[in-house]
Amino acid sequence: MRGGALASVLCVALLGPGRLWPRAEAGCAEAGRCCPGRDATCASTGWRQDRGYGTCFCDEACRRAGDCCYDYARACPALPCIVGEWSHWSGCAEQCKPNLRMRRRYVKQEPKNGGEPCPPLEERSGCLEYLTYQGKDCGHEHVPAFITTSQYSKERKRRAVSPLWSSDTEEAGYCVEFKIESLSHHCTMENRPYARWMQYLREGYTVCVGCQPPAMNTGNHRCSGDGLGADGNKVLQWQAVGNHRCQGTWKKVQQVKQCSCPVVHSFIFT
């Protein structure tokens, strides 16, 4: 109860029950008050939602303080935040090197009267582009396998990586299963929204990594770091795109036509 409310209750009590009735219905609607944030002057006199009588409030803070006027919810209905659709993903911040892309959405209606707050308005994701701004093929020189969440494949455009790429091979792809041998502690500590998928990388787990256009090299139609020609005993390197400190080693189990691992253990070469 805020300052002054108790004094009002005592004052009303001294006046007797007969003096209560004329103002029993006073509240936010009668006072015409409905204020944003915390405003100690946004008050009325009447019954509170806690069934007490005296000074009651019509500001957003009254929900937390528990001293709202009885009609606050009706006079000041809560309006949630409303956001628009996500924009298209931006291009990679840098060509030929692992980096970040982002997308945004904007607020269409600000929350009012204690309504649901706005969700995140920006989302980031790791990426790796294989074309320079001049259209030159690049990025396939990387030795470690760069990986990201399989959810990226839903957003990534299936586009040609060079003028020589034909529509007949555009849908080609394959999957490689690896058993994780080691990884840095930075993977399990990652909690940024766009990088939480790294938490599912675990030592000893078998994961599926899909190779899809445009991550394929236009020369041999393979993804860099897929372990081509490596037997099951060769230790290979991988790195998570979006956090260069999340990296480790794995051994190739087999190459298959389609990935069949659980979603949380499914990734793609970038």
Side-chain angles (χ1 to χ4, degrees), residues 2-3 28 32-44 55-65 67-69 72:
R2 309 185 205 197
C28 298
R33 308 301 301 276
C34 198
C35 308
R38 184 178 182 86
D39 185 351
T41 67
C42 191
S44 182
T55 300
C56 58
F57 293 84
C58 304
D59 61 342
E60 288 180 338
C62 76
R63 289 182 181 271
R64 296 189 298 274
D67 51 13
C68 296
C69 295
Y72 176 78

Side-chain angles (χ1 to χ4, degrees), residues 37 42 50 69 77 109 128 131 138-139 166-167 226 236 238 252 261 263-264:
C42 191
D50 63 2
C69 295
Q109 174 182 283
L128 179 58
L131 281 179
C138 67
S166 70
S167 58
D226 68 351
L236 306 168
W238 58 267
K252 182 178 179 179
C261 295
V263 175
V264 294

